[in-house]
Amino acid sequence: MSIDHNLLVAVSKSVGLFYLIAMAATALVYSCWPANRERFNKAARDIIDDEDAPWQ
Amino acid sequence: MVSNLTVGERQGALAILIVLTLCGLVMAAAAAGHGDPMEMHGYLVMLFSLGVMAILLRGFLAPPPSEARLASYYDDPIKVGIIIAMIWAVFGMIIGDWVAWLLAYPDATFDAAWASFGRMRPAHTSGVIFGFGGNALIATSFHVMQRTSRARLPDQLSPWFVLLGYNLFCLIGISGYFMGVTQSKEYAEPEWYADIWLVVVWVAYFILYMRTLARRKEPHIYVANWYYLAFILVVAILHIVNNLAVPVSFAGAKSYSLFAGVQDAMTQWWYGHNAVAFFLTAGFLGMMYYYLPKRAQRPIYSYRMSIVGFWGITFFYMWAGSHHLHYTALPEWVQTLGMTFSLMLLVPSWIAAANALLTLNGAWDRVRDDATLRFMMMAAVFYGLSTFEGSFMAIRPVNALSHYTDWTIAHVHAGVLGWVSLIVFGSFYALIPWLWKRERMYSPTLVEVHFWLALSGTLVYVFSMWNSGIIQGLMWRTYNDSGTLTYSFLDSVVAMHPYYVARAIGGLLFLSGTLVGCYNMWRTIRWSSAISAAAPDELAPPELLPAE
């Protein structure tokens, strides 16, 4: 089977569509996952004061 | 500075510089026979390497640094990067304003090839984007990666290699434009040997970032790092693919692109728009997500939104480049695809802008009193405005009016003056006192002066180009009763004159602000710490009583 223009268009219209939606859904679920809430809040707080020195 | 390098690092640096000098010698010798401009670049590489070598050798025999250095962050390359970025800013903006005046008064030029618009214009764009923006990104990324990882850079040689190697690339590129060396790809003008050198530098940059993250003591990788990493990784991909070319000879500067026709145009604008996305947006969003909350002393409004925004930007931007090629030989479905993704981009773009502004909600008194924070706030406002404008201009019928006119120039400058430059200046004003251990900038008043010069310059610039762009677009599509064009192209050129004068004045205001900023930064750096500690603390946040 040769890879021609029509094939690429068909793949991008089918698989392409769903893999983009799947990636978007994964990112959305990860960011909104309730168990991640505390980790994210801590990450946002922790940078406010980090000038002192590297942790040993 | 050299004395902070270990003996092994000094030897490594010397070895690299010797190899680089030899490379320069080979380039010069190979091109010398037939008067190719690569000969000059050979000498430039040699001169640069020998100059750095001279600095290295002056401290080469200094006693090795103590182990105590490992207990602190490694900030020397960040400091140098900030200074280099400001030098490039002044250079790039002077050339830019010069070109702006030339457009208003075309006769006021030297009768020389190097001073022609076609050579000066890329010197301006590369000077500000790569010289100023790139060095600002490299310097701040070294700062952000260490602080958020709570880890020191893994070694002291590779950051210098990245910083100085990158500047060698900028020098080769920009000096080449003045000599007529260009591969005529917008924002990717440097020829093949400069491109190969940038790949080497960029891979070293990526490895350095990954090594620092691998050493991190803080398990969570803060979101700003993701933006910086996207910047580094995607720029590598873009740069390599778009610059695939075959040199006419290894002894000459000229090369031919691997792509031709509409494929060439598509590759170029896939690169070009993603350069906007990942060079001029992703890295600077990293800067915003780190310096804005720190300066405001408030965590980012929504960390979740920053993650959603990140993935939205990385997914969507990749497809948007074809909106630069509406109504061309590019298949219409590719144009439509670019338009659609450009419209969807509005969501992650406004997520970032809203996240920044909502972080400041409740701290508006500080924005009022602190010009540094106001720089960052205004950057977020311009980011929101210019991304809205960009999505709007990507719509095909809107593009029919805006394309090839000064509206595009207005849009780009709302982005680079209003967003990129303001976030850099805000970040630098926050960062410089931290790095040089000063209590504050030398003169808060001058920060205020810089803010208003930069803002007024941006507004004058953008409004004049909006006017001229829309007038141009309308003049080019006005028909008379007999069905022919009412205005000749020259009529539209004449009509632009007052706006071009206004644009050059706007640029001059912005440049003046940058010069004021340089002076203030220089005084802050030269300010001895004893004086700074004793100085009255003018900028301390006022003790505001609650409004109960």
Side-chain angles (χ1 to χ4, degrees):
Chain A
M1 190 180 71
S2 65
I3 300 175
D4 63 359
H5 175 79
N6 289 332
L7 176 73
L8 289 176
V9 172
V11 170
S12 53
K13 280 181 174 174
S14 54
V15 181
L17 175 68
F18 290 110
Y19 100 86
L20 265 179
I21 292 176
M23 286 202 293
T26 310
L28 201 62
V29 167
Y30 168 72
S31 59
C32 296
W33 200 257
N36 286 337
R37 180 199 298 263
E38 195 34 52
R39 202 151 59 90
F40 292 160
N41 287 342
K42 183 177 178 305
R45 274 195 314 270
D46 280 356
I47 61 141
I48 303 296
D49 190 20
D50 60 5
E51 274 301 314
D52 45 358
W55 291 345
Q56 296 302 318
Chain B
M1 232 155 247
V2 177
S3 59
N4 286 337
L5 301 180
T6 64
V7 175
E9 285 165 344
R10 290 174 209 173
Q11 290 165 346
L14 188 60
I16 293 170
L17 289 168
I18 290 172
V19 171
L20 210 54
T21 311
L22 290 176
C23 287
L25 190 64
V26 171
M27 281 168 74
H34 48 280
D36 193 279
M38 197 170 89
E39 183 187 356
M40 289 305 292
H41 276 156
Y43 296 134
L44 178 69
V45 171
M46 279 165 68
L47 201 66
F48 183 90
S49 314
L50 292 172
V52 177
M53 207 186 290
I55 298 170
L56 177 72
L57 290 177
R58 277 178 59 196
F60 200 78
L61 295 176
S66 76
E67 289 296 306
R69 75 184 191 285
L70 299 176
S72 61
Y73 295 118
Y74 186 48
D75 290 343
D76 288 352
I78 309 174
K79 293 177 177 176
V80 174
I82 291 173
I83 295 168
I84 295 176
M86 291 308 292
I87 293 172
W88 277 116
V90 172
F91 168 81
M93 289 174 197
I94 286 177
I95 300 283
D97 204 43
W98 182 353
V99 172
W101 286 109
L102 269 185
L103 284 168
Y105 301 99
D107 292 335
T109 182
F110 302 107
D111 191 16
W114 68 266
S116 58
F117 181 83
R119 297 190 184 185
M120 302 247 296
R121 192 262 180 181
H124 161 61
T125 52
S126 290
V128 288
I129 298 173
F130 299 120
F132 171 48
N135 278 295
L137 285 168
I138 291 174
T140 54
S141 72
F142 288 168
H143 180 254
V144 171
M145 69 169 96
Q146 292 188 90
R147 266 52 174 195
T148 55
S149 300
R150 311 275 181 159
R152 186 183 161 89
L153 289 171
D155 71 300
Q156 303 173 119
L157 178 56
S158 49
W160 287 113
F161 177 78
V162 172
L163 182 71
L164 299 177
Y166 178 75
N167 279 285
L168 178 59
F169 163 79
C170 293
L171 285 173
I172 293 175
I174 293 171
S175 61
Y177 310 153
F178 287 113
M179 296 190 287
V181 178
T182 172
Q183 54 179 4
S184 307
K185 279 174 168 276
E186 200 172 8
Y187 312 125
E189 292 92 349
E191 273 290 359
W192 61 276
Y193 46 93
D195 292 334
I196 291 174
W197 173 243
L198 184 63
V199 173
V200 175
V201 170
W202 216 253
V203 169
Y205 187 18
F206 183 70
I207 293 173
L208 172 64
Y209 211 125
M210 297 309 282
R211 282 170 69 210
T212 311
L213 286 182
R215 289 160 50 86
R216 72 185 187 278
K217 299 292 190 297
E218 161 65 52
H220 184 81
I221 299 176
Y222 185 68
V223 70
N225 291 296
W226 288 85
Y227 283 96
Y228 277 113
L229 270 175
F231 148 64
I232 298 169
L233 186 65
V234 178
V235 166
I237 298 168
L238 299 168
H239 173 74
I240 291 171
V241 175
N242 190 42
N243 287 300
L244 288 173
V246 182
V248 174
S249 144
F250 287 114
K254 184 74 195 132
S255 70
Y256 285 97
S257 172
L258 202 64
F259 309 102
V262 76
Q263 283 85 358
D264 182 38
M266 183 63 247
T267 312
Q268 160 61 24
W269 284 109
W270 166 78
Y271 164 86
H273 199 75
N274 281 307
V276 174
F278 291 92
F279 206 101
L280 291 171
T281 303
F284 294 98
L285 282 174
M287 221 182 260
M288 184 191 84
Y289 274 121
Y290 182 76
Y291 293 102
L292 183 131
K294 272 190 78 159
R295 183 71 185 188
Q297 290 286 300
R298 300 161 69 86
I300 195 75
Y301 171 74
S302 168
Y303 197 81
R304 285 172 170 172
M305 257 164 61
S306 71
I307 298 173
V308 175
F310 172 79
W311 289 109
I313 279 178
T314 33
F315 287 160
F316 294 163
Y317 251 122
M318 272 290 158
W319 305 84
S322 55
H323 71 220
H324 287 259
L325 297 166
H326 283 325
Y327 303 103
T328 64
L330 196 72
E332 196 172 356
W333 69 268
V334 186
Q335 300 175 26
T336 309
L337 188 78
M339 176 176 94
T340 313
F341 272 90
S342 306
L343 285 169
M344 294 197 297
L345 259 175
L346 193 57
V347 176
S349 302
W350 274 27
I351 282 180
N355 214 352
L357 294 175
L358 288 168
T359 303
L360 297 173
N361 213 7
W364 293 110
D365 55 309
R366 297 171 84 145
V367 178
R368 183 193 62 208
D369 296 331
D370 178 6
T372 302
L373 197 54
R374 213 178 315 123
F375 264 110
M376 300 182 193
M377 183 277 289
M378 201 46 82
V381 170
F382 272 103
Y383 179 65
L385 288 175
S386 56
T387 48
F388 173 77
E389 188 184 28
S391 296
F392 183 60
M393 290 167 80
I395 300 170
R396 202 186 282 113
V398 179
N399 203 259
L401 177 68
S402 75
H403 204 180
Y404 309 115
T405 74
D406 289 330
W407 189 352
T408 306
I409 320 299
H411 168 60
V412 170
H413 284 80
V416 290
L417 299 178
W419 154 237
V420 170
S421 300
L422 293 194
I423 194 70
V424 171
F425 292 138
S427 303
F428 278 6
Y429 283 133
L431 180 54
I432 286 172
W434 296 336
L435 282 184
W436 274 274
K437 310 276 185 268
R438 306 287 184 260
E439 216 148 279
R440 56 171 172 79
M441 287 300 294
Y442 169 73
S443 167
T445 313
L446 288 181
V447 180
E448 195 75 44
V449 169
H450 182 186
F451 174 81
W452 290 108
L453 281 172
L455 179 61
S456 54
T458 306
L459 290 175
V460 170
Y461 191 112
V462 172
F463 274 95
S464 59
M465 288 294 96
W466 273 337
N467 274 305
S468 74
I470 290 171
I471 290 173
Q472 272 177 328
L474 293 175
M475 285 178 88
W476 294 344
R477 56 158 62 172
T478 304
Y479 294 88
N480 55 28
D481 292 338
S482 57
T484 57
L485 286 171
T486 307
Y487 304 102
S488 70
F489 181 74
L490 265 184
D491 289 335
S492 72
V493 174
V494 173
M496 291 311 103
H497 181 75
Y499 304 110
Y500 283 2
V501 173
R503 181 249 298 268
I505 292 172
L508 195 59
L509 288 171
F510 201 90
L511 169 65
S512 317
T514 306
L515 292 171
V516 169
C518 285
Y519 172 75
N520 200 7
M521 289 175 193
W522 182 246
R523 291 303 296 259
T524 309
I525 293 167
R526 302 290 295 177
W527 206 10
S528 89
S529 42
I531 304 172
S532 101
D537 195 3
E538 294 165 31
L539 228 211
E543 294 290 324
L544 293 176
L545 294 171
E548 72 243 31

